[in-house]
Amino acid sequence: MTAALPRDESAGTHPDAVLEVTGLDVHYGLRRRRRRALHGLSLSVAPGETVGVIGETGSGKSTFARTVLGLVRASAGRIVIGGEDVSAYGPRQWRGLRRRGVVQYVFQDPLRSLDPDLTIEESLVEPLLVQGVERAEAAGRARTFLARVRLSEELLDRLPGELSGGQRQRVAVARALVTEPRLVILDEPVSALDSANRVQVLQILKELRAHGVALVFISHDLGSVAGIADRIAVLYQGELVEVGAARDVITHPRHDYTRLLVSSAPTLRSASADRAERDALRALLHA
Ligand SMILES: Nc1ncnc2c1ncn2[C@@H]1O[C@H](COP(=O)(O)OP(=O)(O)OP(=O)(O)O)[C@@H](O)[C@H]1O
């Protein structure tokens, strides 16, 4: 197997990084049930950068997302968000960080990012009111962001349950961005959408990059991430095995697992191996 590249070579080198993760270990369970989900993960995200984190099911992607949102506790390592060392934060401090809109998130299921009892307008306005923005200004900003995700103002009075899945996910994206955070963690944001909605949401996310927000885009699907990420980080069995410019990772994957991912992505086949080579790689990885 190709030699692993277990860390982001740029980690620790961006004094102004919006996210700096160093040597992150995460375990689940206690005593004999204790299992390691992430090991020695180091990754740095620069302002305005989009980093795709890809890996197969169980590789630790959601664990990474949940840890940098303070929803899962790391057993070792350092997390710095927007210059603030949050490694030792307890649940209350993490809540404060999320409420201040320093880091925002979009999950696969928009119903997890949206309160089912709040109208779309309330959902968009609430994080701004928490920040002390006047109601009239908050309402104006809610409309601006609704337009940015290409939804009509007619939806403002509806509840999330009264929208389609694609509309809901676009509201979740608008809600994550309305406070103009410097960092948004997107965990499989398009996986639950049909292909038309997937294309639209990906296009919207691409456009949002122009507004300077840094995105960590987590997906099992290299094809979804390929067109949007500046850099791609590959997780395999809880370890980062490759990090590089998206184009380099896709055209010159260095790790066997990345090679397999590239060759298995239907939209990237032209840059990839044929079926026999994929089978050979799979056999090598599972040997
Ligand atoms: N709450 C939990 N308790 C115990 N083990 C967990 C828990 N959550 C995840 N795990 C385990 O940690 C490992 C990583 O899981 P994680 O959900 O981070 O993977 P993933 O890459 O996001 O997978 P998927 O693409 O299926 O969502 C897996 O082995 C999983 O079984």
Side-chain angles (χ1 to χ4, degrees), residues 28-29 36-37 55-64 187-188 220:
Y28 289 113
R36 192 171 73 190
E56 67 190 346
T57 180
S59 58
K61 304 181 298 296
S62 291
T63 300
F64 174 62
D187 190 1
E188 304 275 7
H220 66 280

Side-chain angles (χ1 to χ4, degrees), residues 205-224:
L205 291 174
K206 247 189 220 177
E207 289 165 13
L208 292 172
R209 297 189 317 164
H211 295 273
V213 62
L215 304 177
V216 174
F217 187 128
I218 294 170
S219 178
H220 66 280
D221 175 26
L222 179 57
S224 296

Side-chain angles (χ1 to χ4, degrees), residues 23-280:
L24 194 70
D25 278 3
V26 177
H27 292 82
Y28 289 113
L30 293 171
R31 298 190 192 91
R32 277 174 39 205
R33 294 173 68 89
R34 190 170 152 92
R35 298 269 180 285
R36 192 171 73 190
L38 290 179
H39 179 54
L41 195 153
S42 296
L43 184 68
S44 181
V45 180
E49 186 183 33
T50 297
V51 176
V53 177
I54 57 160
E56 67 190 346
T57 180
S59 58
K61 304 181 298 296
S62 291
T63 300
F64 174 62
R66 293 171 64 76
T67 309
V68 296
L69 288 166
L71 302 171
V72 167
R73 201 169 173 77
S75 29
R78 188 162 175 259
I79 304 173
V80 179
I81 298 178
E84 196 170 334
D85 188 335
V86 299
S87 318
Y89 275 14
R92 183 188 295 219
Q93 287 165 300
W94 272 106
R95 248 192 323 273
L97 197 74
R98 291 192 299 268
R99 294 199 86 176
R100 276 188 280 135
V102 176
V103 54
Q104 291 288 2
Y105 52 89
V106 175
F107 292 128
Q108 174 171 349
D109 175 3
L111 289 176
R112 277 184 64 206
S113 324
L114 298 173
D115 184 330
D117 297 323
L118 292 187
T119 65
I120 302 312
E121 175 153 28
E122 285 164 333
S123 263
L124 294 176
V125 161
E126 188 213 50
L128 293 166
L129 297 181
V130 168
Q131 288 193 336
V133 176
E134 297 279 334
R135 180 165 275 280
E137 194 195 327
R141 261 206 248 170
R143 283 166 172 74
T144 302
F145 278 84
L146 202 69
R148 218 167 261 181
V149 296
R150 298 202 208 105
L151 288 177
S152 148
E153 287 188 14
E154 284 167 26
L155 304 184
L156 284 168
D157 292 336
R158 298 213 202 151
L159 294 171
E162 296 168 340
L163 302 185
S164 73
Q167 289 172 329
R168 247 181 250 148
Q169 194 59 310
R170 281 187 269 165
V171 173
V173 169
R175 185 177 198 274
L177 288 152
V178 75
T179 53
E180 303 191 349
R182 294 176 67 206
L183 174 66
V184 179
I185 310 291
L186 304 128
D187 190 1
E188 304 275 7
V190 298
S191 302
L193 306 180
D194 61 35
S195 58
N197 269 308
R198 190 173 304 167
V199 169
Q200 273 210 356
V201 172
L202 285 172
Q203 185 55 36
I204 287 164
L205 291 174
K206 247 189 220 177
E207 289 165 13
L208 292 172
R209 297 189 317 164
H211 295 273
V213 62
L215 304 177
V216 174
F217 187 128
I218 294 170
S219 178
H220 66 280
D221 175 26
L222 179 57
S224 296
V225 167
I228 188 171
D230 301 303
R231 286 190 303 139
I232 288 179
V234 182
L235 258 183
Y236 179 61
Q237 296 182 349
E239 294 188 22
L240 215 54
V241 294
E242 182 157 358
V243 189
R247 176 189 283 258
D248 293 344
V249 169
I250 290 163
T251 54
H252 297 102
R254 294 167 71 175
H255 192 274
D256 289 334
Y257 177 63
T258 316
R259 235 172 267 146
L260 180 63
L261 285 178
V262 172
S263 66
S264 306
T267 50
L268 303 173
R269 284 273 166 80
S270 57
S272 73
D274 63 17
R275 191 189 180 114
E277 193 175 340
R278 281 204 298 284
D279 290 344

